[in-house]
Amino acid sequence: MKTTRRSLVLTGAALAFVAGIGLTAQPAPAQAEYPEKPISYIIPFGPGGESDITARLQQPFFKEKFGQDLVISYKPGGGGAVGWATLNTLKGDGYTMMGVNLPHIVLQPQQKDVGYKTDDITMLYWFHYTPDAIVVTDDSPFKTLQDLIKHAKENPGKVIFSGSGKGTAPHLAQVRFDKLAGVKTTYVPFKGTGASVAALMGKQVSAAMAFTTVAANYEKTRLLAVAMEKRHPRFPDVPTFKELGMDIVSGAYRGIAVPKSTPEPVRQKLTAMIKAVNEDPAFRKKMEEGGFAVVDYAHGKSADDFLSSFAKSVTASAKEAGLLK
Amino acid sequence: MAGLEHLLAALTPINLAFALFGVVAGTVIGAIPGLTATMSVAVLVPLTFAMPTSSALILMGAIYTGAIYGGAYSAILLNTPGTPSAIATTFDGYPLAKKGDGDYAITIACLASVIGGLVGALALMTLAPPLSQVALAFGSVEYFWLAIFGLSLIAALSEGSLLKGVAGGALGLLLSCIGVAEVAGDVRLTFGLQTLLSGIQIVAALIGLYSIPVLIDLVAQPGHHLQVDSGSRGFRLGEAVRYLWGDKINTIRSAVIGTVVGILPGAGGSIASLVSYSEARRTAKPGQAYGKGEPGGIIASESANNATVGGGFIPTLVLGIPGTPPDAVILGALLVQGVRTGPSLFTNQGEIVYTFIWGLILATILMLPTGLFIGRYAYRTIITLPKALLVPAIAFMTIIGSYAIRNNISDVIIMIVLGGLGWIIGRFGFTASPIVLGLILGPIAESGFVQAWTIGTATDDRFGMFFGRPISIAIIVFTLFTLLSPLVLARLQKIKEQAHAD
Amino acid sequence: MPTEPRSDTGGAVVSAILIGVACLVIWDSMSYMDKDSAVFPRTFAGVLIVASAAYIVKWLLGRGEAGPGADTGSLPRRVLLVGIMLGGTMAMPWIGFIGAALPVFAALTLVAMYDPWTRFRVLVYPLIGIAIVLGFFYLFREVLQVPLPTGDLFDS
C-alpha cells in the first residue's frame, strides 16, 4: 500500500510538472496586428515528402518577414484527399491554411467520390511547380532524348518508365509522351518519387518519368528533357520537350488554400504575405537550386484563370490517357 | 577506426547533451502507443534548422534510436507495440511480464537494443558505400518474396490452428487493400464510407488489435494486471547479461538482419524484427519456448529493430534514398539545411558524417543507463498503479495516440472497432498477429508483385523475373526452409523414435 | 478443463462470416477500373474462402479445435468499456478533446473499480486522473504540436 501511494504521488507530480511546462509554453501576449499568433500550415501528406520540404523552406522566410511561426502539421491519406475534404470544416480565421497540389485537386474529384469538389477549394496562391522530366542514370546508354525515342521505336513496350503512382502527373506525362513521340513504352507505378528513383538507380527500369528536382537532389542522375516553356536555369544544357517538337509543359503544382469561411480581407492579407515570401530573391534562389520552377498566380483573377485553363488541359490529357471516362 | 578526431567533435558538451536528451525524449515518446519514431523526429525538425548539421543529425538520430527502444516498454507491459518495430517484442515480452518477469524482460530489451544499435552504427561507419549497393540490388521482386517470407511467419505464430491463422492472415491482407490503391488508382473496399478512404492505418490497427483486448479482459476481473513476486530485485542485470552471452549467436545474427533490412528502402523496424524473430524461432534450441516467454524472442526483435537505425542511414546518406520512414523526414531536414547526400558526402563533408556517426554510437551507449532507469520507473508505475486508474489511463493513451498518427478521428474509431472485433474473434481462436502481419506486409507484397509483373511482361521474361534473380532465389529457399524444417525435423524425430522402439 | 474437446461452434461461425466477407470483397472488385487493382483482393479473398471452408469442414467432421473456455469475467463491464471509449471519441468533434476525455476517464475508472471506495481513493484518484489527462493533453498539443480537436460547442 505504501509503495502504491508513493508511486501514485510520484506519477501525479511528474504529470503536473509536464502540465506546468505546457502552461508556460503558451505563445507570447498578442501584438495588435495580424498575424498575432502562429499560423497553422497543414500538409495533406506525410512528413518528409516534397510538400513538406517546400513548407520547411518557406518557414524561415515567413518568420523573418512577419514575426510568427508557421506551424506545420500533417493530415495524410488518400493521396491528399483526406486533407482537402476536411479543409472547409476548419476555422476560417486567417490562422489556418493548407497546402494544395495539382493535378490532384482537379483529377481526384473527377475520378471518384473523394469528399470534395475542385470548386470547394479557396485558392490563395500557386507558388511553384516541379516540372516533369525524364531522368536517367549517368551511365545510361541514352545520351539524348532522341536515343531513347529511337530505342523505343525499335523495341515497342521494352522501354520501361518508373513513376510515382497511377493517374498522377508522371503517369499523365508518360501517356502524353507516348502519343507525341509515337512510341509505346511501359509504365510501372511506384510508391512515391523516392521509390521510383531507387528503381531507376537499381537498373530495374530504363528511365524514370519524374521531376527536375530529382536531378537536383540525387547524384549520378541526369535529365533528358524537361516539360517547361523555357530551359530550367539550373540545367541550361537540358532541352525542353517543346524544342524537340513535343508540346509537353506540365508538372506538379503546389499552392496554398484556406477554408471557405475565411473573410475576403483576411484572404487578401494572407495572399500578400505568401506573395512576399515567394518574391524574396533569396527564397527564389533556394527554389531554383532545388530544381523547382517558381510561379506566381495570386488570389483572384490570376489564380482563377490559371486553374480553369489548367483543369481543361489536364482533364483532356487524362481522358486521352484513359484515366477518366 | 575512421576519423578518431571526429570522436572528439562528437564529445563536445553540446553534442553530448543532445545525445542524452534525444535518447531520453525518444524513449518516452516511443513508449506511448501511437507515437512513432517518425513522428518524434518530425517534431524536432524545426529546432534543427538553427543548429550545425552534425549536431542536428545527432539529435535526430538519438531520438530515433530512443523511440525504437521505447516501443518495447508498452510491448512488454501492455502487449501493445509502442512503435510498429516492437510487434515481435510482444510475442515473448508480454508472456514474460505475465509470469512476473517484466523487469527482466525490460532489461533484456535494453541490452539487446544497445547491441543492435551499435552493430548498425558500426556498419554505417565502416561499410556504408559498399553496403548501399545492397539497397539497389533489391528490386520489386525481392520485396515481394521478402513479404511472402514474412507472411510465412503466420504458420509459426498460429500454433494450434493453422487454418485460422491463414484465414487471419488473408483477412489482414484484404484489410490492407482498403482505400486508394497505390498501384492502380482505384478506390477499393470503402463501400462508400469516407472514413475508410485513407485505409486502415497500421499503427491504429496495432493499438486496436493488441491493446483493446487486453483492456477488455483487464476490466472484466478484479486482481492485478501483472503479478509481482517479491519486492525490489534490482535490474537483474547480471542475469540478463548471462542470458545474452549464452544466446550470443541470436543477438549478433538479429543485429545483422536488422542492419540489412534497414538498408532496404521502405523496410523498417517492423519487418526487421519480424524476420529476425522468425529466424530465431526456426533455429531455437530444444527447450526454448518461443511464444511463451522466451527471452531470446525479445533479443531477436529488439536487437534487429535498433540495428535498422544505423542500417537505415546507409542508403539515406549514400544514395539520398530513405532506408526507413524516419529517414525520409531526416532527409528532408538535411535538404533544408542545404546538405546534399550522396557518396561524395562521405568524402567531401566527412567531418559532418563521422561526427554524427560517433554521436549516434554515443547516444546508443547512453541508452543503456537511461534505458534501464526509465524502464525501471515504467515498470514500477504499471505494477503499482491500481487497475481503476490503469485501465482509464491506457484507454486514454490509446485514444490520444491513435488520433495523433494522422490527426484524424477516424483512426481512433477504427482502432476501437477493430479492437472490439479482434477481441471477439480472438475468443474463438483467431489471434491478432496473423491479421497484423497481413496488414503490414500486404502493401509491400502487392506493389512488389504488380511492379515485377509489369516489368516482367514488358521484358517478356516473367518467369525469369520472379524466379531467376539470385537474391530472390535465396529468399525463396529461406521461406521453404522456415516452413518445412519443423515438419521435416518432426518426421525425422518420429523415425528415430521408431528405430529405437524396434 | 473439460474431459472431451468442446465443439468449436463459435470458430465455425466466424469462419462462415469470413467467407461472407471474402465474397463481399470479390463483389467490390468487379467495379474496379484498372484490372491490376483486382488481382490482389481476389487472390486473397480466395485464400480466405479456402481456409475458412476447410475449417468448417474440419468442424463438421467433428475435428474442430477446442472452443473457448467458459467465460469468466463480467460481460457488462467489457461492453461498457468499449461503449464508453467509442461514445467519447465520436463526441469529440462536438465537445472537444478535454470535454470528452475527462468524462471518459472518470467513467472508465468507475467501470474498472473493484476495490471499495475509501476516503483516500475518492480524493486521490480523480486528482491523478485529471493530472494524467491534462499532462498528456499538454504534451501532445504543445510539445508534439498535434492539433487536438476543440469542440464546436465551445467555439465562438
Side-chain angles (χ1 to χ4, degrees):
Chain A
M1 195 47 201
K2 259 228 164 84
T3 356
T4 315
R5 210 181 291 208
R6 197 153 52 130
S7 277
L8 288 182
V9 171
L10 270 171
T11 314
L15 287 159
F17 180 64
V18 173
I21 295 185
L23 280 165
T24 54
Q26 294 293 344
Q31 304 129 15
E33 47 169 75
Y34 172 82
E36 294 178 330
K37 53 181 180 133
I39 297 191
S40 171
Y41 187 179
I42 305 178
I43 306 289
F45 297 97
E50 298 226 313
S51 297
D52 182 32
I53 295 178
T54 308
R56 303 252 178 230
L57 287 170
Q58 291 167 325
Q59 240 178 353
F61 288 92
F62 193 89
K63 176 92 194 252
E64 183 202 6
K65 289 185 193 307
F66 304 110
Q68 288 293 347
D69 283 313
L70 281 179
V71 176
I72 297 179
S73 61
Y74 308 98
K75 211 169 166 65
V82 169
W84 296 316
T86 57
L87 175 62
N88 288 333
T89 64
L90 301 172
K91 280 198 265 204
D93 54 1
Y95 290 99
T96 312
M97 58 188 198
M98 187 178 283
V100 201
N101 300 57
L102 284 175
H104 308 60
I105 61 168
V106 164
L107 288 183
Q108 282 179 354
Q110 295 185 60
Q111 284 172 316
K112 46 208 174 232
D113 178 13
V114 282
Y116 72 94
K117 294 263 169 279
T118 314
D119 292 331
D120 290 336
I121 314 273
T122 311
M123 283 310 303
L124 287 190
Y125 211 89
W126 294 103
F127 50 78
H128 81 196
Y129 77 111
T130 44
D132 289 323
I134 296 186
V135 188
V136 292
T137 49
D138 264 351
D139 55 1
S140 160
F142 305 128
K143 296 279 175 271
T144 66
L145 189 60
Q146 279 83 349
D147 293 340
L148 191 148
I149 296 180
K150 184 158 166 296
H151 190 85
K153 284 203 166 121
E154 288 163 14
N155 305 286
K158 295 255 187 293
V159 170
I160 309 179
F161 278 106
S162 69
S164 165
K166 257 202 181 176
T168 52
H171 188 198
L172 278 176
Q174 180 255 353
V175 170
R176 201 169 162 77
F177 171 76
D178 269 6
K179 180 162 184 285
L180 292 177
V183 294
K184 179 170 161 355
T185 62
T186 308
Y187 179 82
V188 182
F190 284 85
K191 191 172 157 123
T193 312
S196 65
V197 174
L200 171 69
M201 287 164 73
K203 305 263 192 295
Q204 289 217 344
V205 295
S206 335
M209 181 59 83
F211 308 103
T212 49
T213 44
V214 169
N217 296 328
Y218 294 91
E219 287 184 18
K220 304 233 181 82
T221 57
R222 56 187 164 82
L223 303 173
L224 289 182
V226 292
M228 299 172 68
E229 294 281 353
K230 293 203 288 268
R231 296 190 177 195
H232 194 287
R234 199 168 181 285
F235 307 107
D237 301 324
V238 179
T240 66
F241 281 104
K242 270 198 150 152
E243 286 175 36
L244 301 170
M246 291 172 273
D247 181 19
I248 308 182
V249 175
S250 56
Y253 286 78
R254 294 199 179 78
I256 294 184
V258 283
K260 210 182 340 204
S261 53
T262 314
E264 184 62 30
V266 179
R267 292 186 199 177
Q268 302 279 5
K269 277 219 187 96
L270 201 42
T271 305
M273 283 157 60
I274 302 170
K275 186 163 144 76
V277 170
N278 214 36
E279 288 180 345
D280 184 311
F283 179 74
R284 280 175 113 87
K285 189 153 177 303
K286 273 212 159 180
M287 288 272 118
E288 263 164 38
E289 274 167 19
F292 298 104
V294 182
V295 298
D296 292 283
Y297 297 116
H299 178 62
K301 190 162 185 316
S302 170
D304 291 340
D305 284 347
F306 165 67
L307 186 58
S308 54
S309 73
F310 181 89
K312 241 190 284 210
S313 76
V314 117
T315 307
S317 292
K319 287 207 171 118
E320 266 180 55
L323 294 167
L324 281 179
K325 292 207 255 270
Chain B
M1 261 295 170
L4 268 171
E5 64 267 23
H6 304 307
L7 171 56
L8 293 173
L11 280 173
T12 62
I14 274 277
N15 286 344
L16 271 177
F18 281 149
L20 186 61
F21 172 72
V23 166
V24 171
T27 308
V28 171
I29 294 182
I32 302 178
L35 293 184
T36 55
T38 313
M39 200 183 285
S40 39
V41 175
V43 163
L44 281 194
V45 165
L47 292 178
T48 63
F49 294 155
M51 297 176 196
T53 311
S54 49
S55 304
L57 278 171
I58 292 180
L59 181 59
M60 291 193 285
I63 272 222
Y64 182 9
T65 205
I68 298 276
Y69 162 56
Y73 291 156
S74 38
I76 292 173
L77 299 173
L78 304 171
N79 198 37
T80 310
T83 66
S85 55
I87 295 177
T89 312
T90 63
F91 299 159
D92 283 288
Y94 190 59
L96 256 184
K98 292 228 89 156
K99 280 198 282 189
D101 281 325
D103 48 356
Y104 183 51
I106 290 185
T107 305
I108 293 235
C110 187
L111 289 172
S113 295
V114 170
I115 295 178
L118 286 176
V119 169
L122 284 171
L124 174 62
M125 172 174 291
T126 52
L127 293 171
L131 281 180
S132 65
Q133 297 306 309
V134 174
L136 297 179
F138 251 73
S140 309
V141 148
E142 280 77 28
Y143 278 98
F144 170 68
W145 287 120
L146 190 63
I148 299 289
F149 176 63
L151 287 171
S152 70
L153 187 56
I154 291 178
L157 289 176
S158 47
E159 281 191 8
S161 179
L162 188 59
L163 286 174
K164 286 182 183 171
V166 170
L171 180 64
L173 281 157
L174 290 176
L175 287 175
S176 77
C177 295
I178 297 182
V180 180
E182 279 298 334
V183 296
D186 274 304
V187 176
R188 299 188 294 192
L189 298 179
T190 58
F191 300 109
L193 287 171
Q194 178 71 13
T195 313
L196 292 178
L197 192 64
S198 29
I200 297 204
Q201 221 282 334
I202 290 179
V203 180
L206 276 182
I207 301 178
L209 287 169
Y210 280 113
S211 71
I212 300 286
V214 169
L215 281 180
I216 294 181
D217 281 330
L218 268 186
V219 137
Q221 298 176 347
H224 254 286
H225 166 51
L226 301 172
Q227 71 182 90
V228 184
D229 286 333
S230 47
S232 174
R233 279 178 301 186
F235 292 114
R236 299 174 68 178
L237 194 54
E239 220 182 312
V241 170
R242 272 194 298 272
Y243 187 94
L244 261 132
W245 182 253
D247 211 15
K248 47 186 178 301
I249 303 184
N250 179 12
T251 314
I252 298 296
R253 179 189 58 220
S254 305
V256 169
I257 292 179
T259 310
V260 172
V261 174
I263 296 178
L264 305 178
S270 53
I271 314 259
S273 66
L274 288 169
V275 169
S276 153
Y277 184 85
S278 175
E279 270 307 284
R281 200 196 162 103
R282 185 176 68 81
T283 56
K285 304 182 255 242
Q288 285 187 321
Y290 272 79
K292 298 206 177 36
E294 182 60 48
I298 303 179
I299 295 176
S301 173
E302 285 298 312
S303 180
N305 66 25
N306 272 87
T308 65
V309 175
F313 273 109
I314 295 179
T316 309
L317 294 177
V318 176
L319 300 170
I321 300 175
T324 64
D327 287 320
V329 180
I330 295 177
L331 208 48
L334 286 178
L335 228 94
V336 173
Q337 284 219 347
V339 174
R340 286 265 311 246
T341 54
S344 53
L345 188 67
F346 277 74
T347 45
N348 297 355
Q349 292 181 294
E351 57 176 75
I352 295 182
V353 175
Y354 287 112
T355 309
F356 156 61
I357 299 179
W358 279 115
L360 186 62
I361 293 182
L362 282 169
T364 311
I365 297 178
L366 282 173
M367 202 160 68
L368 188 54
T370 61
L372 288 175
F373 273 107
I374 301 178
R376 182 104 229 251
Y377 184 71
Y379 182 64
R380 312 230 75 231
T381 312
I382 302 278
I383 289 280
T384 54
L385 212 54
K387 192 181 277 195
L389 285 175
L390 188 65
V391 168
I394 300 176
F396 171 70
M397 260 195 342
T398 60
I399 292 179
I400 197 174
S402 42
Y403 176 79
I405 308 167
R406 290 195 292 198
N407 302 329
N408 199 338
I409 294 256
S410 309
D411 286 334
V412 186
I413 297 183
I414 292 178
M415 185 268 298
I416 301 176
V417 169
L418 270 183
L421 290 175
W423 180 81
I424 295 178
I425 60 177
R427 298 231 57 183
F428 298 116
F430 291 85
T431 53
S433 299
I435 304 180
V436 166
L437 269 176
L439 202 49
I440 294 182
L441 294 172
I444 302 179
E446 180 172 26
S447 52
F449 180 78
V450 171
Q451 288 157 5
W453 183 269
T454 313
I455 298 179
T457 314
T459 52
D460 272 333
D461 188 17
R462 266 181 290 220
F463 187 79
M465 185 80 199
F466 276 96
F467 296 104
R469 292 161 58 110
I471 301 187
S472 305
I473 296 179
I475 301 178
I476 298 175
V477 167
F478 255 108
T479 311
L480 290 172
F481 228 54
T482 311
L483 284 171
L484 297 175
S485 66
L487 296 169
V488 168
L489 286 174
R491 184 62 55 89
L492 285 175
Q493 185 77 351
K494 246 190 238 170
I495 296 180
K496 224 193 291 187
E497 278 165 16
Q498 281 191 328
H500 269 285
D502 293 338
Chain C
M1 281 314 277
T3 43
E4 34 185 73
R6 294 174 45 158
S7 173
D8 184 22
T9 323
V13 170
V14 175
S15 302
I17 297 180
L18 286 178
I19 295 185
V21 168
C23 293
L24 257 182
V25 170
I26 298 184
W27 172 77
D28 188 70
S29 77
M30 303 208 279
S31 66
Y32 298 156
M33 280 196 301
D34 192 336
K35 64 176 167 56
D36 278 345
S37 320
V39 171
F40 219 63
R42 285 194 194 157
T43 313
F44 287 102
V47 170
L48 186 55
I49 292 180
V50 167
S52 308
Y55 187 72
I56 295 183
V57 167
K58 209 170 157 192
W59 174 72
L60 285 171
L61 291 177
R63 289 200 293 176
E65 287 123 27
D71 191 0
T72 56
S74 110
L75 192 59
R77 290 190 198 234
R78 295 188 212 247
V79 173
L80 272 176
L81 172 78
V82 179
I84 292 175
M85 283 179 78
L86 205 48
T89 307
M90 303 213 287
M92 249 185 238
W94 281 281
I95 55 180
F97 185 79
I98 297 268
L102 287 173
V104 165
F105 198 97
L108 289 179
T109 309
L110 291 172
V111 170
M113 189 62 164
Y114 280 94
D115 307 317
W117 279 104
T118 67
R119 223 185 358 206
F120 169 76
R121 291 194 181 124
V122 172
L123 277 172
V124 171
Y125 281 20
L127 281 177
I128 302 219
I130 295 178
I132 292 179
V133 171
L134 285 180
F136 274 101
F137 178 68
Y138 279 112
L139 173 68
F140 274 73
R141 200 179 73 167
E142 301 297 328
V143 175
L144 298 169
Q145 312 222 307
V146 173
L148 293 168
T150 51
D152 287 344
L153 221 52
F154 299 134
D155 270 348
S156 43

